[in-house]
Amino acid sequence: MPTPIRTTAKRPLRTQLATLVGALLPLLAALLVTAPAVSARTEASGVVPTATLTEVTDFGANPSNLRMYLYVPDSVTANPAVLVAVHWCTGSGPDMYNGTEYDTLADRYGFVVIYPSVTRSSKCFDVSSPQALRRDGGSDPVGIKSMVDWVTRTYDADTSRVFATGISSGAMMTNVLLGDYPDVFAAGAAFSGVPFGCFATTDGSEWNSACAQGTITRTAQQWGDIARAAYPGYTGPRPRMQLWHGTEDDVLRYPNFGEMIKQWTNVHGVSQTPAVTDTPQSGWTRTRYGGTGDRAPVEAISLEGVGHNLYGNGMAARVLTFFGLDSGGPAPQPQPGACKVTATTSAWNTGLTASLTITNTGPTSINGWRLGFTLPAGQAVTNGWGATYTPASGAVTATNASYNATLAPGASVSIGYQANHTGNSAAPGAFTLNGTACTAG
């Protein structure tokens, strides 16, 4: 077990200081937050304490020497969700902890928060090198993936509920993580970022002026191809994306907002025309693509007259609603459309096989699906086909295979599993597809 180092106490939420820092890279004009000193001591037991920010060392492959900070609430749930919260240039993991509400929200909802922390002099995440822009290529994304793996092993976390969010440099890293590891992250939320690959350089520089100024314009297909090239051959579901940007951003200019919308709508195969547009509060324009609910494939929030330092209290709660981590959020929609599931079982003394047929009864293709159902008491999946089934008992999620991820309107896919039982060999009675209830056939 790696040795954790912890802060002395849980702190109150600090007020952010909106400041521009021009002494290093232009990207250093990001949020600065006052953080308490980290007064640390070694835990001989190697047990990560709860309700306090803790540093974990020796968490796995870490080619760029990131530091890992972890927040585990007292009320952590069984098989918890995992949120990666990524800081801005000149910031740190403790700064992100202090400047956002994710720890207090974790106290309420029981998920675990990872705060990666850069050690290079700029304190900016690597979103530009060729290594960072391909799966397992090296640099910061590999270290962050190791942190996620450490948490999922240590806390038996739900691998279908791993999320990323970030501010400025952290927002760019959120785009990179979702491009490099679409099979790891279920969704992301980027505050003042740029598209995946926009900041790419080949000369070792961390800064791409053309991208920062918003002068790099590509077609949606070109942007989508750049993101897909990070993991060649991957055909599984893609993470949903929430985008936030101020119209007066003078660090990562506002045109990047539209380019990100192009990229992620293309990645999801949905129209660039919003399915719905609304104003959740004064000065905000929210557009949703590929769906109308709180968990559409792509959601974009434009803040009129707001600059680069747009993050404020209350926004994290909206992130959780998009991720589906708040218990009060409305049920998500499929991507988009309706569904029907028929289920039959064939049983013997202590075992059974179940056959499930999923039909997309909506008008639009579903690109990537997760079928949720609850097994009757005493049943446990021993193997399956057509999908990956986790966990083996209780509330189960069946995630599509690479060859059946897309369901055209009216199309069906058949999957199934073998299970043990202790007397009840019935099929599940209710199903959800991407979180929305299906009609039972």
Side-chain angles (χ1 to χ4, degrees), residues 342 355-358 369 385-387 389 403-404 407 412-416:
T342 58
S355 298
L356 311 177
T357 300
I358 309 165
W369 49 263
W385 52 94
Y389 300 82
Y403 58 81
N404 62 10
L407 276 175
S412 299
V413 61
S414 294
I415 64 174

Side-chain angles (χ1 to χ4, degrees), residues 12-287:
L13 184 68
R14 299 300 178 91
T15 303
Q16 293 189 71
L17 303 177
T19 181
L20 296 178
V21 182
L24 299 176
L25 299 172
L27 186 55
L28 301 185
L31 291 173
L32 275 176
V33 177
T34 301
V38 179
S39 176
R41 66 182 178 87
T42 300
E43 291 291 327
S45 66
V47 175
V48 175
T50 59
T52 188
L53 189 66
T54 304
E55 183 175 5
V56 176
T57 59
D58 300 324
F59 49 83
N62 185 22
S64 55
N65 195 33
L66 298 178
R67 298 174 74 173
M68 174 184 175
Y69 293 90
L70 191 67
Y71 184 81
V72 181
D74 285 331
S75 57
V76 63
T77 61
N79 309 120
V82 180
L83 175 62
V84 180
V86 194
H87 68 74
W88 50 91
C89 276
T90 75
S92 67
D95 287 343
M96 189 71 175
Y97 169 75
N98 277 300
T100 59
E101 310 99 303
Y102 295 112
D103 62 320
T104 58
L105 291 167
D107 289 337
R108 185 181 308 169
Y109 298 115
F111 57 87
V112 176
V113 191
I114 300 170
Y115 298 92
S117 196
V118 170
T119 58
R120 64 177 60 87
S121 60
S122 69
K123 299 300 173 65
C124 298
F125 284 91
D126 177 11
V127 296
S128 57
S129 75
Q131 293 78 17
L133 297 175
R134 66 175 185 270
R135 179 185 179 84
D136 296 336
S139 197
D140 296 346
V142 168
I144 295 173
K145 169 64 161 50
S146 294
M147 297 177 195
V148 171
D149 290 342
W150 189 93
V151 170
T152 56
R153 288 193 308 268
T154 303
Y155 293 94
D156 193 23
D158 184 347
T159 56
S160 70
R161 295 192 301 147
V162 178
F163 304 91
T165 186
I167 301 170
S168 189
S169 179
M172 294 194 281
M173 178 52 70
T174 297
N175 278 266
V176 168
L177 290 172
L178 269 58
D180 284 356
Y181 296 104
D183 54 332
V184 173
F185 293 94
F191 291 84
S192 304
V194 302
F196 177 99
C198 184
F199 241 62
T201 60
T202 57
D203 60 359
S205 172
E206 296 179 55
W207 183 253
N208 185 317
S209 294
C211 178
Q213 292 300 311
T215 62
I216 296 180
T217 303
R218 295 189 170 97
T219 67
Q221 184 67 42
Q222 288 170 332
W223 280 125
D225 288 345
I226 289 170
R228 286 183 286 268
Y231 188 4
Y234 177 73
T235 59
R238 293 284 175 170
R240 296 178 300 109
M241 177 61 96
Q242 184 186 63
L243 304 167
W244 300 72
H245 222 100
T247 61
E248 300 304 313
D249 193 327
D250 60 353
V251 178
L252 301 173
R253 299 280 183 176
Y254 186 68
N256 283 302
F257 181 60
E259 299 303 296
M260 285 188 288
I261 292 172
K262 287 184 192 177
Q263 183 170 66
W264 290 103
T265 53
N266 182 266
V267 164
H268 278 279
V270 300
S271 173
Q272 293 179 59
T273 301
V276 66
T277 301
D278 65 1
T279 305
Q281 72 179 56
S282 178
W284 294 15
T285 300
R286 179 172 61 189
T287 48

Side-chain angles (χ1 to χ4, degrees), residues 348-365:
W348 59 94
N349 290 342
T350 60
L352 63 87
T353 57
S355 298
L356 311 177
T357 300
I358 309 165
T359 302
N360 177 10
T361 58
T364 309
S365 290

